[in-house]
Amino acid sequence: MAVVGLDMGNFSSYIGVARAGGVEIIANEYSDRLTPTYVTFDKSTRVVGQASKAMEITNPKNTICNFKRLIGRRYQDLFVQQEKDLNTYSIFEGKGGSVNIEVNYLNERKRFTPEQVAAIMFGKLKHITSSESTSKAIDCVIGVPCFYTDTERRAMLEAAHIAGWNCLRLINETTAVALCYGIYKGDLPEQTEKPRLVAFVDMGHTALQASIVALNKGKLKMIATAFDLSLGGRDFDRVIMDAMREDFRKRYKIDAYSTVKAKLRLRAECEKAKKAMSSNVQPMPISLESFIDEKDVTGKMSRAEFEELAKPLLDRVRCTLMSLLKEAKTNWEDVESVEIVGGSTRIPAVKQIVQEVFRKSPMTTMNSDESVARGCTLMCAILSPTFKVKEFKIEDCQPYPITLSWHGGINEDNEVEVFGRWNVIPSSKILSFYKKEPLTITARYSYPNDIPFSEARIGQYTIEQIQAQPNGTPSKIKVKVRLNRNGIFDISQAAIIDTTTTIEEPVEDPKAGTENNPDLNTSTNSEPMDDNSNPSNTGENQQEKDEENEEPKKVATKKKRREIELPVVSRVTGATKHELERLVELENDMIQHDKKEKERSDAKNAVEEYVYDMRGKLDGGQYEKYADERNRQKLLNDLRTTENWLYDEGSNQDKNVYIERLKLLKNLGEPIRNRYNEASNRPYHMQEFMKALQRVDEAIQTWQTKSSDKYSHLDKSDMEKVYKLLIEKQRWYDQNATRFNSLKLQDDPTVLCAQIKQEKEAFERECWTILNKSKPKVELPKETPADVSKKQPPPPPSAGGPAPHPQPAPPPPNKKPLKNPPAQTQPPTANFD
Ligand code: ATP
Ligand code: MG
């Protein structure tokens, strides 16, 4: 089972795979480790990654990027409205206020949610992963921005599910980077020592995230994060674009934003210049040929000018980093080092600000682009049973406090902040309530203005089947709330405490009548690695102890205590199970359609390729002499007709129509191609055949002349067999060599190269099975010196008996391989008759 980490950024995606030798970032079909996060809906298919990015200018309305920012959001959300202005595709309000992206797909207007588009991208990453490794990639860990709220996290999981990934965990990108750093860093302090504080700054295409992490050997603790979720590379591109627009307006009297295509072309050039400015101080050109009104335009910008224009953005970088120090309740002196990752931290002015805030040079210990994917892969390896990873404890935290509220006593609502700011994830708490009827708890982020999301509400959870105790008093309800390892809030379990007394005595519950107060001494269980721990562990035990301490005060008799699980009905955002199944089915249908379309277009391409290839080779090319004139003209004519057909009614046909068309062309063309191939390869095969004959001939001569004892153990009958084979094949060779010499180029040969090869191999196999027979092992008797003196000379090579005929002196073997096989070879040199 493959162990995979996915970093699907707004601009670029990376896939990490855990291997025995460590983490490897795998390449896509273009041998590129970066796969652009782009999806295009085309007339007949969907195009994803590099090919999609290349289509952005020609098909801007149907090419979707930056969709990661839309995941889980509502249409009315301010961020969605901003994205509407920044992107070229159409965004509409969908069912229930959701975001819908409208595209022209398969010649129809179709709407997709951002989660569906993300699923298409995830599907592409899955395809790259599984075509790269033999095992089916299912398990993965996915990086998400640390500022993602509950709804966005759920939506990300849905997208991964639609694409067929089994996401073991969502990990904050900040945490993934810290893990990637911490697990390999050899000089961290021991766990008993004071941890080392390291700051990580990640600025990508759309957002800036920064974190301060306490690191020890085998342990990381996220202290705090800070972010600006609308500050990234694209905003810097925009600064250059705006300046160029103004410049072109003045100098060329054109508006560079007047068409989508022009704006996209300008953006691509400005991004290129921005990158170039990172390593050059001299002014960088921004040139566009045949731009608006066919004008060739050119502008330039220097790094100093760029930094001046980008000052407001750079101030925001400083502001975010300062707030990070504040949130972490630390100062620059305590931060021992700063690591920068993400494409936009390559901007020298950004590095400069990092340096100024932390007063130390930013380091690039990790690969700037791949560290998130590497961290995700390491996390997946830690979670997966397939891998043994050295123990590493990860204590992540979440930035938004969560408050629970529930309807309480008469005219009274209650609430409690259940998870504070920087609460560890994963963690769980157990709350106690005293209730007689179903309890509905609402979870929300405590400070709606502090979250980068339009909706503070997380979900509503109803604990059903709550009944009063037999004596009419409220029952004690234990509710387990948790922040799971994906950073998602959940009420996973609830139970009623059933207390049955052996003596009928009223239970004096001190909490009776205060049913609307939860037990605020909630027990906490932080689960650094696994939030699936049995609730009867740690926190829950603690809770039980509390109860036991408190129970004897209430009653003097023995009590039997039983917990009965209660059903919890959750109402959270996101697709229902049924809806999710429908989306999976829909995606699979589209995958099947893409597959069919690919086969169809491959078949069409094959016809096109054949037409151009054959035409060139038949008309003055290497095949010309291998076809008789009538056939050549006929085929050339067919090729011309097919070319016209391809641009006309043949432009969009079924796969089988193309296959059939190609077959017809090949009926005429392949015999010509084969004749050419045969004629080109024949000399080589004949030469090889000749060499084989010579080698056997030499072996026979060696045996005869006894020039070496290599074959001396072979008897005459063996050598006769070899000789017979040699004569036979020599004849075969000579006959065919004669035929080939008189063969016309337009005629089909009766013997093909494959047969020559086959004959040669069969001949060699038979001869050398005999010639390579091993020598018999001879047990040497213990000899006295007298025996040695009596010894006879060894018997002749004809295995003991006298040779039936005198052996003629063999003529010298034909040793040199012939460049061009002769029509008639030298006769074999040995003679047994
Ligand atoms: P996000 O984190 O917002 O989801 P991402 O992770 O996909 O986006 P990255 O791949 O980290 O983004 O960074 C891409 C950005 O980095 C692009 O805006 C690109 O122009 C910018 N970038 C890449 N190389 C350089 C460079 N040498 N100088 C300046 N900017 C660069
Ligand atoms: Mg990123």
Side-chain angles (χ1 to χ4, degrees), residues 7-12 68 173 202-207 209 342-343 369 372:
D7 169 22
M8 186 180 77
N10 276 288
F11 190 75
S12 33
K68 192 178 165 188
E173 287 162 10
D202 175 358
M203 185 150 77
H205 189 55
T206 61
Q209 303 178 63
D369 300 314
V372 173

Side-chain angles (χ1 to χ4, degrees), residues 762-782:
F763 165 68
E764 286 194 308
R765 208 170 28 248
E766 284 182 72
C767 290
W768 291 100
T769 309
I770 299 170
L771 292 169
N772 286 338
K773 261 189 201 172
S774 52
K775 292 187 176 185
K777 272 188 187 157
V778 182
E779 275 281 327
L780 285 179
K782 276 187 185 162

Side-chain angles (χ1 to χ4, degrees), residues 6 110 122 207 212 219 288 294 351 565 577 644 701 780 831:
L6 301 177
K110 291 231 165 99
F122 275 133
I212 288 185
K219 185 182 168 193
L288 293 133
E294 297 301 307
K351 283 189 203 164
E565 264 204 43
K577 199 167 166 258
N644 294 337
Q701 286 207 48
L780 285 179
N831 185 358

